[in-house]
Every structure is written in structure tokens, then in C-alpha cells.
Amino acid sequence: MTGTGTATVGAESVFPLLRLQTTSHIPKLGFLKLNRSLISLRSLQIKASDSSNQLRLNGAHDLTLSNSNGNATGSGTTNLKHLSTIGNSTNIQWHSCSVQKDDRHRLLHQKGCVIWITGLSGSGKSTIACALSRILHQRGKLTYVLDGDNIRHGLNKDLGFKAQDRAENIRRIGEVAKLFADAGVICIASLISPYRRDRDACRSMLPNGDFIEVFMDVPLHVCEARDPKGLYKLARAGKIKGFTGIDDPYETPIHSEVCVLNFNRILLIDLLGCM
């Protein structure tokens, strides 16, 4: 459907009727009931002060609230007093939504958090992450695993393994994990994350108690004997430079919430109080 159509928003009786003016192509979506030019949004509640107010969606998909005289009552003009500069991003403003973290937690019947599994290559991080995810799934909990190698297939494929790239790799994953936790998901991050300051930076992104550091305390000689990917052999032969544990350091966690000496999934589940 193209051209200008009119959509009626049906809200609770305490909310006035709003009309959504559309000037762009409207796709057929599962939550929209299409009837010629009519779209009925049965569950959407929009609070307005006047029944003559209208919501308009322009070609650039920007929403503005206007009254019957056509005067904007909530335009895209930004309050300059609240603009921020974060890193290299300037003139930005945090936009809050009425659906908050606690609302999502109540919907899912769980509290979102980040379980950060760190350790040497071959220590069993990915194995225990997936096992933990499976057990929590069987208990009716929504989880998502952020595996270090998997993330480098997409989001972080532009990063190498130099110190600065490793730091950026961890920072990005930390930010993604924070979003998952905010959404109410139990996010299990599984990656070497060799530097203590980078892990601590990720911890600082979340409220106290929402970041659970799990240290896979497996000695180097055990990990090297396992060598499931053959990476230690390549590193010893000089074919891989900057390999953690061989010619690049791994900084052992000091205050991790969980320390895994042996692969014991049930013990790990019992130790984590996020069920």
C-alpha cells in the first residue's frame, strides 16, 4: 500500500483517539491488521492531552505530534541543554522509553545479567557456556551465548589480535552483553579476555550484582595438551604471534565470583544465583 492513508489507533478509554498519517509504503506486518487503508493497532496505548492531536509519520519515518491547527506539539527539535558528547559522538541525547528494564524482567519472569566466562584457549569456556545455556533453557530461562570466535565472524571481523584490537573486541562484546542483560536475557559471554582492565571495564558497565565473572582455572599445560583447535601447536611453531599463554600474557582474575577448577556443570549452576 502506497500513498497517504489513515490509520486509527485504538487505545484504552482513558486515552484519546489518535490518527496516524502515513506517507510511505507500509509493509504487511504480523501485528498490523490491514484493511484497505485502515490499520488497527489494538494494543497500542499512546497518551495525549487532546483528542484533536495527530501523529504524523513523514517519508523519513520521523514521528511528530501535531494538533488540529497543524502546529507541532512534540517535534524533532532537540533540547540543546541535554545534548552530550560521548567519545567521538557529538550532539547526542539519550531517549528514554516507557518500557523499562524492570518491565522486561517481569515479562520474562527472570532478571537479566551477564555471566562472563574467561580463561585460556582450551580451558573449556565455550563448552561450559553452551552446557550452562542448555541447562538454564531446560529450566525455562532465556539465555544467549556470545562466543568470542563467533563474534569475530561478524561484529568484530575487522579486529585483529594486537593489544588495542583485543581491548576493542572486549569493549564491543561488553556493550552488547549489557544490552542483552537490559533486555532481561541471561547473557553468557565466553571469550579469553586476557586483560584484567578490559574485564573490569565490562563489569563497570552493569549495576552491582549483574556481572558474574567465571574463571576457568585450568593450567596452561593442560590447555596445551588438549589443544582442540591446534592453535598451541601453531603458536609454538611461531606461525601464530601474540597467542595468549605463549607469547602474550593472560592476567588471572582476582575477585571472580566463580572459579571452575573442574568441569562440573551442576556445581556451576548451583553457584550461580541467577536462575
Side-chain angles (χ1 to χ4, degrees):
M1 181 174 63
T2 57
T4 302
T6 301
T8 319
V9 180
E12 298 293 333
S13 58
V14 293
F15 295 121
L17 185 67
L18 300 178
R19 299 179 72 79
L20 185 66
Q21 304 292 335
T22 65
T23 57
S24 60
H25 175 75
I26 301 176
K28 186 174 181 180
L29 302 175
F31 59 86
L32 298 180
K33 180 182 178 182
L34 299 183
N35 182 10
R36 295 183 181 177
S37 61
L38 179 66
I39 304 174
S40 180
L41 305 179
R42 298 187 179 277
S43 62
L44 181 61
Q45 295 180 353
I46 302 177
K47 187 178 293 185
S49 59
D50 192 313
S51 61
S52 63
N53 283 342
Q54 291 182 323
L55 279 173
R56 285 197 174 88
L57 178 65
N58 62 30
H61 306 289
D62 292 321
L63 280 172
T64 60
L65 183 65
S66 62
N67 56 31
S68 57
N69 298 323
N71 298 320
T73 60
S75 68
T77 303
T78 306
N79 187 338
L80 297 179
K81 294 182 180 179
H82 300 290
L83 293 179
S84 302
T85 297
I86 307 295
N88 293 327
S89 297
T90 60
N91 300 321
I92 58 175
Q93 183 181 36
W94 185 269
H95 185 84
S96 297
C97 180
S98 60
V99 179
Q100 296 294 313
K101 181 178 181 179
D102 289 343
D103 300 313
R104 294 186 285 272
H105 289 180
R106 282 192 294 269
L107 179 67
L108 294 171
H109 302 292
Q110 67 180 45
K111 179 184 177 182
C113 66
V114 174
I115 301 173
W116 192 279
I117 305 178
T118 176
L120 293 170
S121 176
S123 61
K125 299 181 301 300
S126 297
T127 302
I128 204 169
C130 292
L132 176 59
S133 179
R134 169 55 60 185
I135 294 174
L136 290 175
H137 177 79
Q138 291 171 346
R139 296 189 180 189
K141 302 302 179 182
L142 181 61
T143 67
Y144 195 87
V145 175
L146 295 177
D147 182 85
D149 277 10
N150 291 357
I151 296 296
R152 284 183 176 273
H153 277 76
L155 177 64
N156 291 348
K157 65 182 180 181
D158 59 320
L159 300 176
F161 289 91
K162 295 181 180 179
Q164 61 269 29
D165 282 358
R166 286 178 180 268
E168 176 61 13
N169 178 59
I170 301 306
R171 187 195 69 82
R172 292 183 192 179
I173 295 176
E175 291 286 356
V176 173
K178 179 181 71 173
L179 294 176
F180 271 107
D182 187 67
V185 177
I186 299 173
C187 181
I188 306 170
S190 167
L191 56 162
I192 295 174
S193 44
Y195 306 138
R196 194 175 297 124
R197 66 177 182 275
D198 296 333
R199 298 192 301 266
D200 290 344
C202 292
R203 180 188 291 274
S204 69
M205 295 178 186
L206 289 101
N208 289 335
D210 287 3
F211 184 95
I212 303 166
E213 187 177 60
V214 179
F215 172 40
M216 302 296 292
D217 190 6
V218 181
L220 174 62
H221 71 274
V222 175
C223 295
E224 190 169 358
R226 293 175 179 172
D227 202 10
K229 303 175 186 177
L231 298 178
Y232 283 101
K233 184 177 181 180
L234 292 175
R236 291 294 187 188
K239 296 180 179 179
I240 297 179
K241 301 296 184 183
F243 190 77
T244 302
I246 303 300
D247 55 355
D248 201 69
Y250 176 83
E251 298 174 357
T252 303
I254 299 175
H255 302 297
S256 58
E257 282 74 11
V258 179
C259 181
V260 179
L261 299 174
N262 297 299
F263 188 80
N264 189 327
R265 294 176 291 176
I266 303 302
L267 174 61
L268 180 60
I269 284 289
D270 290 338
L271 285 172
L272 297 175
C274 61
M275 268 53 74

